[in-house]
Amino acid sequence: MEQSFQKTLRHLKRIRDRFPDFLEKEVTTVANPLAQDFNNLNRLDVFKAYHNTKPYLDPELEIVNMFGACVYYVLLLTNPALSSLVNTEPFKWFFFTSLLKYQRMSISLVSVSITGDEDHVVGFLSPVNSICNHSCDPNAVGILHSGRYKIALIRPVRRGEPIFCYYSPPWWDPERSPVPTLHFPCECVVCDRGPAGKAWRLLKKRPFPAAAVKNVRMMQDMVCGEDTSNANKLNMLQQFIRRFSELHPNKIVGQWLDWYSYYLTISVYAENLVLLRAKVQEMRAEH
C-alpha cells in the first residue's frame, strides 16, 4: 500500500507542471447523461454520453480530482493485462486524462451540490436524490452505499406523505443559516410564512413530556459515550425517533435526527471502506 501511495505521489508530481493542460474553462452541453432511458439501459450509449460530457469544473477541487485519478491510474496498471496495453507514453497520458475526466464527472454526479462563488447551492446532479423534493424538514437522506446512491428514511413516514431530502442544512442543524443557501425560493413548511408554516412553528414549540426527560438524558449519555458502538447508537436513536415521532418537530427530536443522520453516514462510510478493502484484497489474490 505504501509503495502504491508513493507511485501515486510521483505521478501527481509529474502532472503538476502540466496543470493548465487539464483545466477546462467552460461548461458544455455536448451530452446529457441524465437524458438516458434507464428503463431500457444501453450501457454503450450511457458510456458515450458520459464520455462526451464536460461537467462544471471547480479549480479548488481539481487537485482532489487529480489525486483520485492518480490512485486509479497506479492501481489499475498493476493489472498485467491492462499494463501490457497501456505501454507507450502517449497511451499512458490518454489513459490518465480519461481517468481524470471520469473522476470529474463522478464527483459532479454524486455530489450533493455544486458550490458557487457566494457559497450557495446552485445545482443538484444526483439522479436518485433529485427524485425527491427539497425540504428544510426532511424525512430522508441520500447515502452512497456499496457503489449505489440510495435514499434512507430518518424518521417514520405516513402513507401518502412525500419523501423529502434536503439541498441545504435542515432546521435542526446548529450551523444552519437563517436564510437557506438555495438558488430558488424555498417554499417548504419551515420557510412558509402562511398558515402551514405557522402551524409547523407552533408544533415546534410544544414541550417535551416531563415523564420522558429521564429516558432522554439516559439516551444522550449513551450516544455521547465512547463505550457504545455506532450500530447500537443507530439502533437506539431509531427506537427513540419512532417512539416520539408524534412530537416532531420538537427541538429534542431534531437533535436526535441530527445525530441519527451523522451516525448513519459514518457507519455507511465505514462499511463501504471494509467492502472496498475486501475487493482490493480479492483483486490482489487473483493477480
Side-chain angles (χ1 to χ4, degrees):
M1 184 63 71
E2 177 64 23
Q3 186 178 7
S4 296
F5 182 72
Q6 293 300 327
K7 286 184 179 179
T8 301
L9 290 181
R10 286 198 296 270
H11 190 66
L12 191 60
K13 290 176 182 178
R14 286 180 62 199
I15 66 172
R16 180 177 54 190
D17 296 334
R18 298 183 59 177
F19 185 81
D21 297 341
F22 299 103
L23 291 178
E24 299 174 24
K25 304 298 183 182
E26 299 179 358
V27 178
T28 66
T29 55
V30 176
N32 180 10
L34 304 184
Q36 294 294 317
D37 182 3
F38 286 91
N39 291 320
N40 300 289
L41 193 63
N42 184 318
R43 295 191 179 277
L44 180 58
D45 288 342
V46 173
F47 174 79
K48 290 178 180 178
Y50 279 113
H51 185 77
N52 293 324
T53 300
K54 293 184 179 180
Y56 171 85
L57 180 61
D58 186 346
E60 294 183 3
L61 288 178
E62 188 62 0
I63 190 64
V64 177
N65 292 330
M66 286 189 173
F67 184 78
C70 287
V71 171
Y72 282 115
Y73 177 86
V74 170
L75 291 179
L76 289 173
L77 287 185
T78 59
N79 185 315
L82 185 58
S83 61
S84 65
L85 295 174
V86 186
N87 55 6
T88 65
E89 194 65 20
F91 204 167
K92 288 180 180 179
W93 278 110
F94 169 77
F95 183 56
F96 172 75
T97 53
S98 296
L99 290 173
L100 177 59
K101 185 174 185 177
Y102 301 143
Q103 173 73 12
R104 289 168 176 164
M105 285 189 287
S106 65
I107 291 293
S108 295
L109 291 172
V110 303
S111 294
V112 171
S113 64
I114 296 175
T115 305
D117 294 336
E118 298 179 359
D119 201 26
H120 286 188
V121 176
V122 296
F124 194 84
L125 297 177
S126 168
V128 175
N129 220 344
S130 61
I131 296 173
C132 303
N133 283 327
H134 160 77
S135 175
C136 297
D137 183 21
N139 49 28
V141 295
I143 55 174
L144 190 63
H145 181 247
S146 302
R148 295 180 179 273
Y149 204 79
K150 302 178 180 180
I151 301 297
L153 294 179
I154 57 175
R155 60 180 175 88
V157 176
R158 298 181 181 88
R159 178 176 295 182
E161 183 181 354
I163 303 297
F164 289 110
C165 291
Y166 55 92
Y167 303 169
S168 65
W171 66 268
W172 61 73
D173 191 324
E175 298 182 0
R176 171 183 166 87
S177 170
V179 179
T181 53
L182 295 164
H183 74 296
F184 56 86
C186 184
E187 299 179 356
C188 76
V189 67
V190 179
C191 301
D192 180 73
R193 295 304 165 190
K198 183 178 180 180
W200 185 89
R201 284 183 284 277
L202 287 175
L203 289 174
K204 187 180 177 183
K205 293 179 180 179
R206 289 180 299 174
F208 202 83
V213 171
K214 182 178 179 180
N215 291 333
V216 171
R217 289 174 180 170
M218 178 187 68
M219 191 272 292
Q220 289 176 335
D221 291 340
M222 294 185 68
V223 169
C224 297
E226 297 181 357
D227 297 332
T228 308
S229 68
N230 288 340
N232 286 336
K233 290 178 181 179
L234 276 173
N235 183 52
M236 184 166 42
L237 284 165
Q238 190 177 67
Q239 291 182 29
F240 268 75
I241 291 170
R242 285 178 177 175
R243 180 179 176 183
F244 297 103
S245 61
E246 296 299 325
L247 294 176
H248 182 83
N250 182 275
K251 182 178 179 180
I252 293 178
V253 178
Q255 186 180 51
W256 296 344
L257 292 172
D258 188 27
W259 287 345
Y260 186 78
S261 301
Y262 169 75
Y263 284 112
L264 178 64
T265 301
I266 63 174
S267 296
V268 170
Y269 175 81
E271 184 177 340
N272 286 337
L273 194 59
V274 170
L275 293 173
L276 182 60
R277 285 175 175 170
K279 185 176 292 186
V280 170
Q281 292 295 333
E282 183 180 349
M283 291 173 61
R284 286 180 173 177
E286 292 177 354
H287 301 289

